[in-house]
């Protein structure tokens, strides 16, 4: 039973920083690429970044230069460090992992910011910037 649990959300003033964490348990095999997504009220879920097993990262333009994704592969923890936060960053933030089969791992490599590439999701953590 795969579980992803996010933590670290909260309220922060404009220009502030937060670090989110995502702990993964129950996953067998290599995690491969993992992603961070967010969803603001009334908006579609947005892929904001991903990191693969070689620690290569991809970011959406909306967060590039402000957000950094990292992972502790030994502990199966994914991180999202957020700096220079803006009110438009207010959203529920989710981490996601793909299924471990060959097709899913290939798909996520080709579309790392697509929510369709991921099968396992955390419950989300709220980030509010004012």
């Amino acid at each position: 039973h795969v579980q992803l649990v996010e933590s670290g959300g909260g309220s922060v003033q404009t220009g502030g920083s937060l670090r989110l964490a995502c702990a993964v348990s129950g996953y067998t095999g290599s995690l491969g690429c993992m992603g961070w997504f967010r969803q603001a009220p009334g908006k579609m879920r947005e892929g904001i970044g991903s990191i693969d097993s070689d620690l290569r990262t991809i970011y959406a333009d909306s967060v590039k230069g402000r957000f950094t994704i990292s992972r502790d592969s030994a502990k199966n923890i994914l991180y999202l460090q957020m700096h220079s936060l803006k009110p438009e960053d207010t959203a529920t933030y989710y981490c996601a992992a793909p299924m471990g089969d060959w097709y899913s791992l290939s798909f996520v490599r080709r579309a790392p910011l697509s929510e369709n590439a991921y099968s396992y999701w955390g419950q989300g953590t709220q980030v509010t910037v004012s």
Side-chain angles (χ1 to χ4, degrees):
H1 178 60
V2 178
Q3 278 193 310
L4 283 68
V5 179
E6 300 98 338
S7 60
S11 296
V12 65
Q13 291 188 332
T14 298
S17 300
L18 279 175
R19 188 174 85 151
L20 307 183
C22 170
V24 183
S25 62
Y27 198 96
T28 56
S30 172
L31 264 174
C33 187
M34 292 195 65
W36 280 102
F37 291 76
R38 68 184 181 187
Q39 188 167 21
K43 294 190 176 182
M44 301 286 288
R45 188 152 55 184
E46 171 192 20
I48 58 172
S50 69
I51 184 168
D52 68 13
S53 55
D54 293 322
L55 306 184
R56 291 173 296 199
T57 52
I58 293 175
Y59 299 98
D61 288 344
S62 56
V63 305
K64 199 173 292 183
R66 300 187 298 123
F67 290 11
T68 302
I69 296 174
S70 60
R71 66 194 289 175
D72 183 332
S73 297
K75 297 180 180 179
N76 276 355
I77 299 177
L78 182 70
Y79 298 100
L80 178 65
Q81 178 67 58
M82 304 183 291
H83 294 298
S84 303
L85 283 162
K86 307 174 183 179
E88 50 264 44
D89 294 318
T90 295
T92 301
Y93 284 71
Y94 301 88
C95 60
M99 293 185 70
D101 61 283
W102 178 86
Y103 177 83
S104 297
L105 294 176
S106 297
F107 184 12
V108 75
R109 280 196 295 270
R110 294 194 302 274
L113 298 186
S114 168
E115 62 179 308
N116 293 328
Y118 298 90
S119 298
Y120 302 112
W121 295 83
Q123 82 287 354
T125 187
Q126 179 67 35
V127 172
T128 303
V129 185
S130 59

